[in-house]
């Protein structure tokens, strides 16, 4: 049951957090618009698409920065409590420091739940429109997917390869399809100079089709200048867009990662990293809450300004560590799990240290 103290601090906690969002999200939108307005005009982006993009922008960027906004808002209102000697009065009345922390942890739980639901189910849908607009109007010409030397394992028996792929035309060149039998011996091999997806007929068209079968040590060859046929894969599955993991909800992402592992995808770490980061963000809310309370609950000569400066510094260091370890996981084979755990463990240890100091 919440006491008067719990309700008082929790109300300040949530109101200040929402106020921080209402203040900084519009600033972020205006800053991004000021930077990109030239490209929007040059590329003649429709007004409706721009409005939808900034709605998605608010969800995608806002969700990533929610723990930071939470951190700064706690420092802000707790510093005010400390400067008004309210915290001294609370602790002097016999309330322990751990009891004083309770409404903060309740607030962190609510915010962590919000981050979890947004990251797992709401933001992935917004990320589709956000990234499509980015690559359509802001990143024209930039490669959004792998397009050369693409090899995929479809299942335990089937493998495909294309030397190059054009996403806009949905065509792959130097296509090879290999099927192995139950004892892992090559059963047959299909090759063609290109494979094209025919949207209106929902079929694949192979040019200069050649099929080789092995039967009792004898090779049987079948050739056709053109063949329309069906395959179990989608041509887009050959090379998923680089941001594909960001567009999938919790259940879709798990299935997608399992599928990419089975296919032997070379960039699997990037997809796993997205998954672990979604789980780590709610935990980050608790870590940053404890650090913020420990830093700002002690009255200092510098007051709120010093606490906010310290908070901004910690926020930048956290983002720096997150980016560094994330890049290591994506590009150098570093464990995605460690890439997510290390920053949180380091800041978790720092949170415990600061909390012990604040108690004294």
């Amino acid at each position: 049951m919440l006491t008067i103290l719990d309700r008082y601090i929790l109300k300040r906690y949530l109101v200040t957090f929402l106020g921080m969002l209402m203040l900084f999200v519009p600033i972020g939108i205006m800053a991004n618009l000021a930077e990109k307005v030239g490209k929007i005009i040059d590329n003649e982006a429709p007004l409706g698409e721009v409005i939808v993009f900034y709605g998605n922008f608010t969800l995608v960027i806002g969700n990533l920065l929610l723990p930071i906004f939470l951190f700064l808002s706690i420092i802000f209102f707790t510093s005010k409590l400390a400067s008004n000697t309210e915290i001294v009065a609370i602790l002097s009345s016999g309330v322990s420091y751990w009891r004083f922390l309770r409404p903060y942890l309740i607030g962190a739980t609510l915010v962590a739940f919000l981050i979890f639901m947004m990251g797992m189910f709401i933001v992935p849908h917004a990320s589709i429109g956000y990234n499509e607009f980015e690559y359509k109007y802001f990143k024209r010409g930039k490669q959004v997917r792998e397009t050369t030397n693409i090899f995929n394992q479809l299942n335990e028996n089937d493998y495909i390869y294309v030397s190059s792929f054009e996403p806009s035309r949905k065509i792959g060149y130097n296509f090879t399809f290999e099927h192995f039998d139950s004892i892992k011996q090559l059963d047959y091999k299909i090759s063609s100079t290109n494979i094209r997806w025919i949207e209106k007929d929902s079929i694949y068209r192979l040019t200069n089709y050649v099929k080789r079968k092995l039967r009792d040590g004898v090779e049987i060859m079948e050739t056709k200048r053109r063949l329309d046929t069906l395959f179990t894969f989608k041509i887009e599955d050959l090379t998923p867009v680089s941001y594909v993991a960001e567009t999938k909800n919790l259940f879709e992402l798990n299935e997608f990662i399992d599928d990419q592992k089975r296919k032997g995808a070379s960039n699997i770490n990037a997809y796993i990293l997205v998954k672990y980061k979604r789980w780590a963000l709610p935990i980050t809310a608790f870590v940053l809450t404890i650090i913020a309370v420990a830093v700002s609950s002690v009255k200092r000569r510098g007051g709120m300004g010093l606490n906010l400066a310290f908070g901004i510094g910690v926020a930048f260091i956290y983002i720096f560590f997150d980016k560094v370890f994330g890049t290591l996981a994506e590009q150098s084979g570093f464990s995605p799990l460690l890439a997510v755990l290390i920053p949180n463990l380091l800041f978790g240890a720092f949170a415990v240290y600061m909390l012990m100091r604040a108690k004294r």
Side-chain angles (χ1 to χ4, degrees):
M1 183 177 178
L2 296 179
T3 63
I4 295 175
L5 174 63
D6 293 330
R7 289 195 295 271
Y8 175 70
I9 293 179
L10 189 57
K11 180 181 177 182
R12 298 285 295 270
Y13 184 111
L14 297 176
V15 169
T16 309
F17 174 59
L18 292 174
M20 193 73 70
L21 288 179
M22 297 297 292
L23 174 65
F24 282 101
V25 168
I27 291 174
I29 292 174
M30 294 305 297
N32 185 271
L33 182 60
E35 179 187 355
K36 303 292 179 60
V37 67
K39 290 184 178 180
I40 291 174
I41 295 172
D42 292 342
N43 294 320
E44 299 179 348
L47 178 61
E49 288 188 31
V50 174
I51 293 173
V52 172
F53 167 74
Y54 279 105
N56 293 327
F57 172 88
T58 300
L59 291 172
V60 173
I61 303 302
N63 184 65
L64 290 175
L65 297 178
L66 276 178
I68 304 300
F69 290 150
L70 175 67
F71 182 59
L72 295 178
S73 63
I74 292 172
I75 288 180
F76 178 79
F77 87 82
T78 306
S79 294
K80 288 189 68 175
L81 293 179
S83 64
N84 294 334
T85 65
E86 292 180 70
I87 294 177
V88 173
I90 291 170
L91 298 178
S92 298
S93 66
V95 175
S96 69
Y97 199 86
W98 296 112
R99 179 62 183 82
F100 169 69
L101 273 177
R102 191 174 87 162
Y104 287 94
L105 296 179
I106 294 173
T109 301
L110 296 175
V111 174
F113 180 75
L114 172 65
I115 293 172
F116 177 83
M117 295 303 296
M118 286 187 64
M120 295 297 188
F121 300 104
I122 300 173
V123 172
H125 179 72
S127 185
I128 299 173
Y130 171 79
N131 281 291
E132 286 179 350
F133 189 95
E134 279 269 324
Y135 281 93
K136 183 177 180 181
Y137 296 109
F138 300 154
K139 298 181 179 180
R140 283 189 171 183
K142 291 190 176 182
Q143 185 170 302
V144 69
R145 62 174 90 214
E146 293 181 20
T147 56
T148 58
N149 295 322
I150 300 154
F151 173 85
N152 265 328
Q153 179 179 350
L154 300 177
N155 50 53
E156 292 183 357
N157 304 103
D158 297 326
Y159 300 82
I160 56 174
Y161 169 84
V162 291
S163 63
S164 61
F165 177 66
E166 292 185 28
S168 59
R169 299 175 61 194
K170 296 185 178 180
I171 182 170
Y173 297 95
N174 299 319
F175 170 73
T176 300
F177 179 94
E178 295 179 343
H179 175 75
F180 292 80
D181 59 25
S182 58
I183 59 174
K184 300 302 179 182
Q185 289 186 343
L186 183 63
D187 184 29
Y188 64 84
K189 178 178 179 178
I190 295 173
S191 58
S192 64
T193 54
N194 62 61
I195 177 173
R196 183 193 296 270
W197 172 248
I198 308 299
E199 185 99 33
K200 64 177 182 178
D201 299 323
S202 299
I203 59 169
Y204 288 97
R205 178 164 294 164
L206 306 180
T207 304
N208 297 325
Y209 162 85
V210 177
K211 183 175 183 179
R212 291 181 172 87
K213 300 179 182 178
L214 292 175
R215 295 294 181 270
D216 299 322
V218 179
E219 183 180 68
I220 303 172
M221 183 179 295
E222 176 187 343
T223 62
K224 289 186 180 182
R225 185 176 176 276
R226 192 180 81 179
L227 176 70
D228 292 343
T229 187
L230 299 173
F231 286 107
T232 56
F233 62 88
K234 297 179 182 178
I235 200 161
E236 291 90 347
D237 292 341
L238 293 176
T239 57
V241 291
S242 57
Y243 56 82
V244 63
E246 300 169 16
T247 66
K248 297 185 178 296
N249 65 37
L250 171 62
F251 307 111
E252 293 169 343
L253 183 56
N254 287 334
E255 292 178 5
F256 175 74
I257 289 173
D258 290 340
D259 184 55
Q260 292 300 303
K261 283 181 178 178
R262 179 171 48 80
K263 291 179 178 179
S266 59
N267 55 344
I268 188 68
N269 273 5
Y271 306 142
I272 297 174
L273 183 66
V274 171
K275 174 184 175 180
Y276 287 153
K277 279 189 173 182
R278 289 186 186 177
W279 285 103
L281 269 179
I283 298 172
T284 303
F286 287 97
V287 173
L288 293 181
T289 292
I290 293 172
I291 294 175
V293 175
V295 168
S296 55
S297 61
V298 179
K299 190 173 183 178
R300 290 182 174 85
R301 183 174 296 178
M304 186 186 302
L306 182 62
N307 288 339
L308 284 174
F310 178 84
I312 293 171
V314 170
F316 274 111
I317 293 172
Y318 172 80
I319 293 172
F320 172 77
F321 273 85
D322 182 65
K323 290 294 183 183
V324 167
F325 285 103
T327 303
L328 284 175
E330 289 178 353
Q331 300 182 6
S332 67
F334 190 75
S335 168
L337 180 59
L338 289 178
V340 172
L341 282 178
I342 289 175
N344 281 288
L345 288 175
L346 289 175
F347 279 82
F350 180 66
V352 173
Y353 168 74
M354 293 300 297
L355 192 60
M356 293 301 103
R357 285 195 59 185
K359 279 186 63 183
R360 290 199 299 266

